[in-house]
Coordinates of all heavy atoms in Angstrom, one line a residue:
Chain A
L20 N 2.2 1.9 -3.5 CA 1.2 2.4 -4.4 C 1.0 3.9 -4.1 O 0.9 4.7 -5.0 CB -0.1 1.7 -4.2 CG -0.2 0.4 -5.1 CD1 -1.5 -0.3 -4.7 CD2 -0.2 0.8 -6.5
R22 N 3.1 5.9 -3.2 CA 4.2 6.7 -3.7 C 4.4 6.5 -5.2 O 5.4 7.0 -5.8 CB 5.5 6.3 -3.0 CG 5.5 6.8 -1.6 CD 7.0 6.9 -1.0 NE 7.5 5.5 -0.9 CZ 8.7 5.2 -1.3 NH1 9.4 6.0 -2.0 NH2 9.1 4.0 -1.1
S23 N 3.5 5.9 -5.9 CA 3.8 5.5 -7.2 C 3.9 6.7 -8.2 O 4.5 6.6 -9.2 CB 2.7 4.5 -7.7 OG 1.5 5.1 -7.6
F24 N 3.3 7.8 -7.8 CA 3.5 9.0 -8.7 C 4.5 9.9 -8.2 O 4.6 11.1 -8.6 CB 2.1 9.7 -8.9 CG 1.3 8.9 -9.9 CD1 0.4 8.0 -9.6 CD2 1.6 9.1 -11.3 CE1 -0.3 7.3 -10.5 CE2 0.9 8.4 -12.2 CZ 0.0 7.5 -11.9
S25 N 5.4 9.4 -7.3 CA 6.4 10.3 -6.8 C 7.7 10.2 -7.6 O 8.8 10.3 -7.2 CB 6.8 9.9 -5.3 OG 7.1 8.5 -5.3
W26 N 7.5 9.9 -8.9 CA 8.6 9.9 -9.9 C 9.6 10.9 -9.6 O 9.3 12.0 -9.3 CB 8.0 10.2 -11.3 CG 9.0 10.5 -12.3 CD1 9.7 9.6 -13.0 CD2 9.4 11.8 -12.7 NE1 10.6 10.3 -13.8 CE2 10.4 11.6 -13.7 CE3 9.1 13.1 -12.3 CZ2 11.1 12.7 -14.3 CZ3 9.7 14.2 -13.0 CH2 10.7 13.9 -13.9
D27 N 10.8 10.5 -9.7 CA 11.9 11.4 -9.7 C 12.1 12.2 -8.4 O 13.2 12.8 -8.2 CB 11.7 12.4 -10.8 CG 13.1 12.9 -11.4 OD1 14.0 12.0 -11.4 OD2 13.3 14.1 -11.6
F28 N 11.2 12.3 -7.5 CA 11.4 13.2 -6.4 C 11.3 12.4 -5.1 O 10.6 12.6 -4.2 CB 10.4 14.3 -6.4 CG 10.5 15.1 -7.7 CD1 9.5 15.0 -8.6 CD2 11.7 15.8 -7.9 CE1 9.7 15.6 -9.8 CE2 11.8 16.4 -9.2 CZ 10.8 16.3 -10.1
Q31 N 16.3 10.2 -3.4 CA 17.4 10.4 -4.2 C 17.6 11.8 -4.6 O 18.7 12.3 -4.9 CB 17.3 9.5 -5.5 CG 17.4 8.1 -5.2 CD 17.7 7.2 -6.4 OE1 18.1 7.8 -7.4 NE2 17.6 5.9 -6.3
L32 N 16.6 12.6 -4.6 CA 16.7 14.0 -5.0 C 17.6 14.7 -4.1 O 18.3 15.6 -4.5 CB 15.3 14.6 -5.1 CG 15.3 16.1 -5.6 CD1 15.8 16.1 -7.0 CD2 13.9 16.6 -5.7
L36 N 21.2 17.4 -4.8 CA 21.5 18.7 -4.2 C 22.9 18.8 -3.7 O 23.5 19.8 -3.5 CB 20.5 19.1 -3.1 CG 19.1 19.1 -3.5 CD1 18.2 19.4 -2.3 CD2 18.8 20.1 -4.6
Y39 N 25.5 21.1 -5.0 CA 25.3 22.5 -4.6 C 25.6 22.8 -3.2 O 25.7 24.0 -2.8 CB 23.8 22.9 -4.9 CG 23.5 22.8 -6.4 CD1 23.1 21.6 -7.0 CD2 23.7 23.9 -7.1 CE1 22.9 21.6 -8.3 CE2 23.5 23.9 -8.5 CZ 23.0 22.7 -9.1 OH 22.8 22.6 -10.4
M81 N 24.7 30.1 -4.9 CA 23.3 29.9 -5.0 C 22.7 30.1 -3.6 O 23.1 29.4 -2.7 CB 22.9 28.5 -5.5 CG 22.8 28.3 -6.9 SD 21.7 29.4 -7.8 CE 22.0 28.8 -9.4
F101 N 15.0 31.9 -5.4 CA 16.4 31.4 -5.5 C 17.2 32.3 -6.3 O 16.8 32.7 -7.4 CB 16.4 30.0 -6.1 CG 15.4 29.0 -5.5 CD1 14.4 28.4 -6.3 CD2 15.4 28.8 -4.1 CE1 13.4 27.6 -5.7 CE2 14.4 27.9 -3.6 CZ 13.5 27.3 -4.4
F118 N 15.9 33.0 -10.0 CA 15.8 31.9 -11.0 C 14.5 31.1 -10.9 O 14.0 30.5 -11.8 CB 17.0 30.9 -10.7 CG 18.3 31.4 -11.4 CD1 19.2 32.1 -10.6 CD2 18.5 31.1 -12.7 CE1 20.4 32.5 -11.2 CE2 19.7 31.5 -13.3 CZ 20.7 32.2 -12.5
G119 N 14.0 31.1 -9.6 CA 12.9 30.3 -9.4 C 12.4 30.5 -8.0 O 12.9 31.4 -7.3
G120 N 11.4 29.8 -7.6 CA 10.7 30.0 -6.3 C 9.3 30.5 -6.6 O 8.7 30.2 -7.5
D121 N 8.9 31.5 -5.7 CA 7.5 32.0 -5.9 C 7.4 33.0 -7.0 O 6.3 33.4 -7.3 CB 7.1 32.6 -4.5 CG 6.6 31.5 -3.5 OD1 5.6 30.9 -3.8 OD2 7.4 31.3 -2.5
K135 N 2.5 33.4 0.7 CA 1.4 32.5 0.6 C 1.0 31.9 1.9 O 1.9 31.7 2.7 CB 1.7 31.3 -0.3 CG 1.9 31.7 -1.8 CD 2.3 30.5 -2.6 CE 2.3 30.9 -4.0 NZ 3.3 31.9 -4.4
F165 N 13.9 24.1 -1.5 CA 12.5 24.1 -2.0 C 11.5 23.2 -1.3 O 10.4 23.1 -1.6 CB 12.5 23.8 -3.5 CG 13.1 22.6 -4.0 CD1 12.5 21.3 -3.7 CD2 14.3 22.6 -4.7 CE1 13.1 20.2 -4.1 CE2 14.9 21.4 -5.2 CZ 14.3 20.2 -4.9
E166 N 12.0 22.6 -0.2 CA 11.0 21.8 0.6 C 10.3 22.7 1.5 O 10.7 23.8 1.9 CB 11.8 20.7 1.3 CG 12.4 19.7 0.4 CD 13.0 18.5 1.2 OE1 12.3 17.9 1.9 OE2 14.2 18.3 1.0
D167 N 9.2 22.2 2.0 CA 8.4 22.9 3.0 C 9.0 23.0 4.3 O 8.7 23.9 5.1 CB 7.0 22.2 3.2 CG 6.1 22.5 2.0 OD1 6.6 23.2 1.0 OD2 4.9 22.1 2.0
E334 N -27.0 28.2 -10.7 CA -26.5 27.1 -11.5 C -25.3 27.4 -12.3 O -24.6 26.6 -12.9 CB -27.6 26.5 -12.4 CG -28.1 27.5 -13.5 CD -29.2 28.4 -13.0 OE1 -29.4 28.5 -11.8 OE2 -29.9 29.0 -13.8
M336 N -22.6 28.9 -11.1 CA -21.4 28.8 -10.3 C -20.5 27.7 -10.9 O -21.0 26.7 -11.3 CB -21.9 28.5 -8.9 CG -20.8 28.1 -7.9 SD -20.4 26.4 -8.0 CE -21.8 25.6 -7.3
Q337 N -19.2 27.9 -10.8 CA -18.3 26.9 -11.3 C -17.3 26.6 -10.2 O -16.9 27.4 -9.4 CB -17.5 27.4 -12.5 CG -18.4 27.5 -13.8 CD -17.6 28.1 -14.9 OE1 -16.4 28.1 -15.0 NE2 -18.4 28.6 -15.9
L338 N -16.8 25.3 -10.2 CA -15.8 24.9 -9.2 C -14.4 24.8 -9.8 O -14.2 24.2 -10.9 CB -16.2 23.6 -8.6 CG -17.5 23.7 -7.8 CD1 -18.0 22.3 -7.4 CD2 -17.2 24.4 -6.5
D339 N -13.5 25.5 -9.2 CA -12.1 25.4 -9.6 C -11.5 24.1 -9.1 O -12.0 23.5 -8.2 CB -11.4 26.7 -9.0 CG -9.9 26.7 -9.1 OD1 -9.5 26.9 -10.2 OD2 -9.3 26.5 -8.1
S433 N -20.7 28.4 0.9 CA -20.2 27.2 1.7 C -18.8 26.9 1.3 O -18.1 26.1 2.0 CB -21.1 26.0 1.5 OG -21.3 25.8 0.1
Chain B
I33 N -34.3 23.5 -13.3 CA -32.9 23.3 -13.2 C -32.6 22.4 -12.0 O -33.2 22.5 -11.0 CB -32.2 24.7 -12.9 CG1 -32.4 25.6 -14.1 CG2 -30.7 24.5 -12.7 CD1 -31.8 26.9 -14.0
Y53 N -24.9 21.4 -13.1 CA -26.3 22.0 -13.2 C -26.8 21.9 -14.6 O -26.2 22.3 -15.6 CB -26.3 23.5 -12.8 CG -26.0 23.7 -11.3 CD1 -24.7 23.8 -10.9 CD2 -27.0 23.8 -10.4 CE1 -24.4 24.0 -9.5 CE2 -26.8 24.0 -9.0 CZ -25.5 24.1 -8.6 OH -25.2 24.3 -7.3
L70 N -24.7 23.9 -17.1 CA -24.6 25.4 -17.0 C -23.6 25.8 -16.0 O -23.2 27.0 -16.0 CB -26.0 25.9 -16.5 CG -27.2 25.4 -17.4 CD1 -28.5 25.7 -16.7 CD2 -27.1 26.1 -18.7
G71 N -23.2 24.9 -15.1 CA -22.2 25.3 -14.1 C -21.9 24.1 -13.2 O -22.4 23.0 -13.5
G72 N -21.0 24.3 -12.3 CA -20.6 23.2 -11.4 C -19.1 22.9 -11.7 O -18.3 23.8 -11.9
D73 N -18.8 21.6 -11.8 CA -17.4 21.2 -12.0 C -17.0 21.3 -13.5 O -15.8 21.2 -13.8 CB -17.2 19.8 -11.5 CG -17.0 19.8 -10.0 OD1 -16.0 20.4 -9.5 OD2 -17.9 19.3 -9.3
K87 N -13.8 15.2 -8.0 CA -12.7 15.9 -7.2 C -12.6 15.2 -5.9 O -13.7 15.0 -5.2 CB -13.0 17.3 -7.0 CG -12.8 18.2 -8.3 CD -13.0 19.6 -8.0 CE -12.7 20.5 -9.1 NZ -13.6 20.3 -10.3
K94 N -5.1 11.0 -5.3 CA -5.2 10.5 -6.7 C -6.1 9.3 -6.7 O -6.0 8.4 -5.8 CB -3.8 10.1 -7.2 CG -3.9 9.8 -8.7 CD -2.6 9.4 -9.2 CE -2.7 9.2 -10.7 NZ -4.1 8.7 -11.1
R98 N -6.5 -0.3 -6.8 CA -5.5 -1.3 -6.5 C -5.8 -2.7 -7.0 O -5.1 -3.4 -7.6 CB -5.4 -1.4 -4.9 CG -4.8 -0.1 -4.3 CD -4.9 -0.2 -2.8 NE -4.2 -1.4 -2.3 CZ -4.5 -2.1 -1.2 NH1 -5.6 -1.8 -0.6 NH2 -3.8 -3.1 -0.8
L118 N -25.0 23.4 -2.1 CA -24.1 22.2 -2.2 C -23.7 21.6 -0.9 O -23.6 20.4 -0.8 CB -22.8 22.6 -3.0 CG -23.0 22.9 -4.5 CD1 -21.6 23.2 -5.1 CD2 -23.6 21.7 -5.2
D199 N 11.6 -0.6 -6.2 CA 10.8 -0.6 -5.0 C 9.5 -1.4 -5.1 O 8.4 -1.0 -4.8 CB 10.4 0.9 -4.7 CG 10.0 1.0 -3.3 OD1 10.3 0.2 -2.5 OD2 9.2 2.0 -3.0
Q206 N 15.9 1.9 -4.2 CA 16.4 3.1 -4.8 C 17.6 2.7 -5.8 O 18.7 2.8 -5.4 CB 17.0 4.1 -3.8 CG 15.9 4.7 -2.9 CD 16.6 5.4 -1.7 OE1 17.4 6.3 -1.8 NE2 16.3 4.9 -0.5
P207 N 17.2 2.3 -7.0 CA 18.3 1.8 -7.9 C 19.3 3.0 -8.2 O 18.9 4.1 -8.2 CB 17.6 1.4 -9.1 CG 16.1 1.7 -8.9 CD 15.9 2.2 -7.6
K240 N 9.0 9.1 -16.4 CA 10.3 8.4 -16.3 C 10.2 7.1 -17.1 O 11.2 6.6 -17.7 CB 10.6 8.2 -14.8 CG 11.8 7.3 -14.6 CD 13.1 7.9 -14.8 CE 14.3 7.0 -14.4 NZ 15.6 7.5 -14.8
I268 N 17.2 10.8 -17.1 CA 16.9 11.6 -15.9 C 17.4 10.9 -14.6 O 17.2 9.8 -14.4 CB 15.4 11.8 -15.7 CG1 14.9 12.8 -16.8 CG2 14.9 12.2 -14.3 CD1 13.4 13.2 -16.7
R269 N 18.1 11.7 -13.8 CA 18.4 11.3 -12.4 C 19.5 10.3 -12.3 O 20.5 10.4 -11.6 CB 17.2 11.0 -11.7 CG 17.4 10.8 -10.2 CD 16.1 10.8 -9.4 NE 15.0 10.0 -10.0 CZ 14.8 8.7 -9.9 NH1 15.7 8.0 -9.1 NH2 13.8 8.1 -10.4
I270 N 19.3 9.0 -12.8 CA 20.3 8.0 -12.6 C 20.7 7.5 -14.0 O 20.0 7.5 -14.9 CB 19.8 6.8 -11.8 CG1 18.4 6.3 -12.3 CG2 19.6 7.2 -10.3 CD1 17.9 5.0 -11.7
P286 N 18.1 22.7 -9.3 CA 17.0 22.9 -8.4 C 16.5 24.4 -8.3 O 15.4 24.6 -8.1 CB 17.6 22.5 -7.0 CG 19.0 22.1 -7.2 CD 19.4 22.2 -8.7
Q287 N 17.4 25.3 -8.6 CA 17.0 26.7 -8.5 C 16.0 27.2 -9.5 O 15.4 28.2 -9.5 CB 18.2 27.7 -8.5 CG 18.8 27.9 -9.9 CD 19.8 26.8 -10.3 OE1 19.9 25.7 -9.6 NE2 20.6 27.0 -11.3
L289 N 13.2 25.8 -10.0 CA 11.8 25.4 -9.6 C 10.9 26.6 -9.5 O 11.3 27.7 -9.1 CB 11.9 24.8 -8.2 CG 10.6 24.5 -7.5 CD1 10.0 23.3 -8.1 CD2 10.8 24.4 -6.0
I291 N 7.1 28.0 -8.0 CA 6.0 27.7 -7.1 C 4.8 28.5 -7.6 O 4.9 29.7 -7.8 CB 6.4 28.1 -5.7 CG1 7.6 27.3 -5.3 CG2 5.2 27.9 -4.7 CD1 8.2 27.8 -4.0
N292 N 3.7 27.8 -7.8 CA 2.5 28.5 -8.4 C 1.7 29.2 -7.4 O 2.0 29.2 -6.2 CB 1.7 27.5 -9.3 CG 0.7 26.7 -8.5 OD1 0.8 26.6 -7.3 ND2 -0.2 26.1 -9.2
N335 N 5.3 19.4 -14.8 CA 6.3 18.6 -14.2 C 7.5 18.3 -15.1 O 8.7 18.3 -14.6 CB 5.7 17.2 -13.8 CG 6.7 16.4 -13.0 OD1 7.2 15.4 -13.4 ND2 6.9 16.8 -11.8
L368 N -0.2 13.9 -16.1 CA -0.7 12.6 -15.8 C -1.8 12.2 -16.7 O -3.0 12.2 -16.3 CB -1.2 12.5 -14.3 CG -0.1 12.7 -13.3 CD1 -0.7 12.6 -11.9 CD2 1.0 11.7 -13.4
I382 N 4.7 14.4 -1.9 CA 5.7 13.4 -1.9 C 6.1 13.2 -0.4 O 6.6 14.2 0.2 CB 6.9 13.8 -2.7 CG1 6.4 14.1 -4.1 CG2 8.0 12.8 -2.7 CD1 5.6 13.1 -4.8
H386 N 9.2 17.3 1.5 CA 8.1 18.1 2.0 C 7.8 19.1 0.9 O 8.3 20.2 0.8 CB 8.6 18.9 3.3 CG 9.0 17.9 4.4 ND1 8.0 17.4 5.2 CD2 10.1 17.4 4.7 CE1 8.6 16.6 6.1 NE2 9.9 16.6 5.8
F388 N 4.7 19.7 -2.5 CA 3.5 19.4 -3.3 C 3.8 19.6 -4.7 O 4.2 20.7 -5.1 CB 2.3 20.3 -2.9 CG 2.0 20.2 -1.4 CD1 2.6 21.0 -0.5 CD2 1.1 19.2 -0.9 CE1 2.3 20.9 0.9 CE2 0.8 19.2 0.4 CZ 1.4 20.0 1.3
I389 N 3.8 18.5 -5.5 CA 4.1 18.6 -6.9 C 2.9 18.9 -7.8 O 1.9 18.2 -7.7 CB 4.8 17.3 -7.4 CG1 6.1 17.1 -6.7 CG2 5.0 17.3 -8.9 CD1 6.9 16.0 -7.2
W391 N 1.2 18.7 -11.2 CA 1.3 17.9 -12.4 C 0.8 18.7 -13.6 O 1.1 18.5 -14.8 CB 0.5 16.6 -12.4 CG 0.9 15.7 -11.2 CD1 0.1 15.4 -10.1 CD2 2.1 15.1 -11.0 NE1 0.8 14.6 -9.3 CE2 2.1 14.4 -9.8 CE3 3.3 15.1 -11.7 CZ2 3.1 13.6 -9.3 CZ3 4.4 14.4 -11.2 CH2 4.3 13.6 -10.0

Side-chain angles (χ1 to χ4, degrees):
Chain A
L20 274 173
R22 286 201 292 131
S23 57
F24 279 95
S25 55
W26 166 81
D27 210 41
F28 304 109
Q31 293 200 9
L32 187 56
L36 301 177
Y39 293 88
M81 274 300 179
F101 311 124
F118 279 95
D121 282 293
K135 294 179 171 66
F165 55 70
E166 293 184 60
D167 284 4
E334 66 273 14
M336 166 278 289
Q337 290 176 21
L338 291 168
D339 171 72
S433 52
Chain B
I33 297 182
Y53 289 88
L70 304 169
D73 282 294
K87 287 182 173 66
K94 189 182 182 329
R98 293 172 58 213
L118 287 183
D199 198 22
Q206 291 166 62
K240 169 77 176 172
I268 283 184
R269 189 165 41 87
I270 51 174
Q287 74 276 14
L289 171 78
I291 299 170
N292 83 346
N335 186 252
L368 298 179
I382 304 308
H386 300 275
F388 301 89
I389 293 188
W391 303 116

